[in-house]
């Protein structure tokens, strides 16, 4: 052992959310029911390890539907897709199973309702994220994308009194509140769901990382670089004054981060499997005498129904 004993404190909750579990199960069940290959547009969730595991079972990941053979079984990712993607899939007669998280679909529906009433919609989210592209492509009307309070001033809606907002599901609750406040200052008539579009899993993991930050010397967030909710966890840990690092697996652990630390907090983004968290703990054990405990936190009990095409019991082969 090359350092003093290390207390590892795990955040509760951490890791997989109900939308990610459902999306992975959809691909696994589709493989079982229809046989490989099953095509998946985009990473089913933002995690390379999840993608590689599904690839090894026969899933094929593509960027766009025109890379999929006509008529093939196709899964859309948990982030949701634009209506144009659905139309393109229809033209290729793809057998589509939509793994969009129901909480993303809820935001699509909100945006559509506002647009149908003649509102222009401000979408608070990050440009280039697939969920944002999907949401923008679902709203039939003008959508203004902003990500920070400083961008509110530049908005030029046709009618400032007919403006609504919706948000990406995986934002920082505090940052989003600041953007909404700026919107309300400039457009007092604006309507929207406050921060309620930010999903339960994102909110709970952010609450947990704040509690973790108060307890530990350094925080490790297990999650992918392109995972929005994982990045927000790292930012929140750091904003609480605790050095925080985002790593996608144990191989990225830098021992220099732990120099002088006697307590390390570990959490994981909603798309990071628990096996990666356990891998990080194993890597820590290789160098330090480690004890592990879990911080008290919210117990989640959320499950989403599978699409009708895949409902019913799993076959024995998949259960084993
Ligand atoms: S992070 Fe939230 S919105 Fe995204 S898949 Fe999980 S539950 Fe759904």
């Amino acid at each position: 052992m090359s350092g003093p004993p290390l207390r590892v404190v795990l955040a509760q909750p951490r890791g997989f959310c109900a939308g990610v579990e459902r999306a992975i199960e959809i691909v696994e069940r589709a493989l079982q029911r229809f046989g490989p290959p099953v095509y998946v547009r985009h990473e089913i969730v933002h995690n390379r390890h999840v993608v590689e595991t599904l690839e090894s079972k026969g899933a094929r990941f593509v960027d766009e539907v025109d890379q999929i053979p006509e008529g093939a079984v196709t899964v859309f990712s948990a982030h949701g897709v634009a209506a144009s993607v659905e139309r393109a899939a229809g033209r290729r007669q793809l057998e589509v199973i939509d793994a969009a998280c129901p909480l993303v679909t809820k935001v699509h529906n909100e945006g559509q309702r506002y647009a149908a009433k003649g509102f222009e919609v401000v979408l608070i989210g990050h440009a280039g994220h697939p969920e944002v592209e999907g949401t923008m492509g679902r709203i039939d009307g003008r959508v203004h994308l902003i990500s920070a309070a400083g961008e509110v001033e530049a908005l030029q809606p046709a009618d400032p009194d007919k403006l609504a907002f919706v948000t990406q599901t995986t934002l920082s609750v505090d940052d989003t509140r600041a953007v909404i406040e700026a919107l309300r200052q400039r457009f007092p008539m604006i309507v929207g769901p406050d921060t309620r579009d930010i999903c339960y899993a994102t909110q709970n993991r952010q609450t947990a990382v704040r509690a973790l930050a108060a307890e530990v010397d350094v925080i490790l967030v297990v999650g992918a670089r392109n995972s929005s909710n994982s990045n927000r966890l790292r930012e929140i840990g750091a904003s609480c004054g605790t050095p925080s690092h985002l790593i996608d697996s144990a191989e990225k652990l830098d021992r220099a981060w732990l120099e002088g630390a006697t307590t390390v907090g570990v959490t994981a983004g909603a798309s990071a499997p628990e096996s990666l968290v356990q891998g990080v703990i194993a890597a820590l054990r290789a160098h330090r005498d480690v004890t592990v405990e879990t911080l008290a936190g919210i117990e989640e009990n959320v499950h989403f129904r599978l699409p009708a095409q895949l409902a019913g019991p799993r076959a024995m082969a998949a259960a084993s």
Side-chain angles (χ1 to χ4, degrees), residues 9 14 40 43 56 97 104 110 123 141 182 186 196 218 224 227 230 255 270 279 282 287 318:
V9 184
R14 63 180 180 279
V40 184
E43 291 189 324
S56 72
I97 306 164
V104 173
E110 271 168 12
L123 170 58
R186 186 164 168 223
R196 282 186 300 273
V218 57
S227 159
S230 303
R255 283 165 59 194
H287 305 288

Side-chain angles (χ1 to χ4, degrees), residues 48-252:
R48 185 172 54 82
H49 300 268
V50 170
V51 166
E52 285 172 1
T53 304
L54 292 172
E55 261 171 351
S56 72
K57 296 179 182 176
R60 292 208 189 141
F61 291 85
V62 297
D63 292 332
E64 288 308 335
V65 291
D66 60 11
Q67 297 166 265
I68 303 172
E70 291 206 356
V73 176
T74 302
V75 178
F76 288 158
S77 82
H79 307 105
V81 299
S84 58
V85 175
E86 237 174 30
R87 286 194 295 272
R91 286 194 295 275
R92 293 187 81 72
Q93 298 180 315
L94 302 180
E95 179 77 36
V96 171
I97 306 164
D98 192 355
C101 177
L103 299 182
V104 173
T105 305
K106 176 180 136 256
V107 176
H108 293 174
N109 293 341
E110 271 168 12
Q112 284 162 0
R113 275 199 299 274
Y114 288 132
K117 288 183 190 158
F119 287 80
E120 287 182 16
V121 176
V122 178
L123 170 58
I124 306 169
H126 297 290
H129 190 279
E131 180 186 323
V132 164
E133 288 172 2
T135 302
M136 292 188 82
R138 287 280 168 181
I139 299 172
D140 205 7
R142 192 161 169 219
V143 182
H144 309 261
L145 175 63
I146 61 170
S147 63
E151 295 166 46
V152 170
E153 209 41 52
L155 288 173
Q156 298 287 352
D159 180 352
D161 292 344
K162 276 269 193 184
L163 203 54
F165 70 86
V166 295
T167 87
Q168 192 178 337
T169 57
T170 49
L171 300 177
S172 151
V173 177
D174 291 343
D175 292 352
T176 307
R177 202 167 274 132
V179 180
I180 293 169
E181 187 50 41
L183 282 169
R184 291 208 163 112
Q185 289 269 332
R186 186 164 168 223
F187 306 108
M189 302 300 285
I190 196 165
V191 291
D194 199 65
T195 54
R196 282 186 300 273
D197 281 346
I198 299 176
C199 76
Y200 81 96
T202 299
Q203 302 214 17
N204 290 349
R205 281 152 191 69
Q206 290 180 7
T207 301
V209 83
R210 255 188 218 101
L212 198 61
E215 284 275 321
V216 301
D217 300 323
V218 57
I219 290 176
L220 303 174
V221 179
V222 183
R225 295 257 144 221
N226 57 350
S227 159
S228 171
N229 77 88
S230 303
N231 278 287
R232 303 298 80 79
L233 293 177
R234 193 207 63 74
E235 286 168 8
I236 290 168
S239 73
C240 292
T242 306
S244 301
H245 307 279
L246 178 64
I247 51 172
D248 61 11
S249 66
E251 290 85 70
K252 298 285 163 60

Side-chain angles (χ1 to χ4, degrees), residues 265-284:
V266 182
T267 186
S271 45
E274 179 64 14
S275 59
L276 296 179
V277 172
Q278 294 305 320
V280 168
I281 296 171
L284 294 171

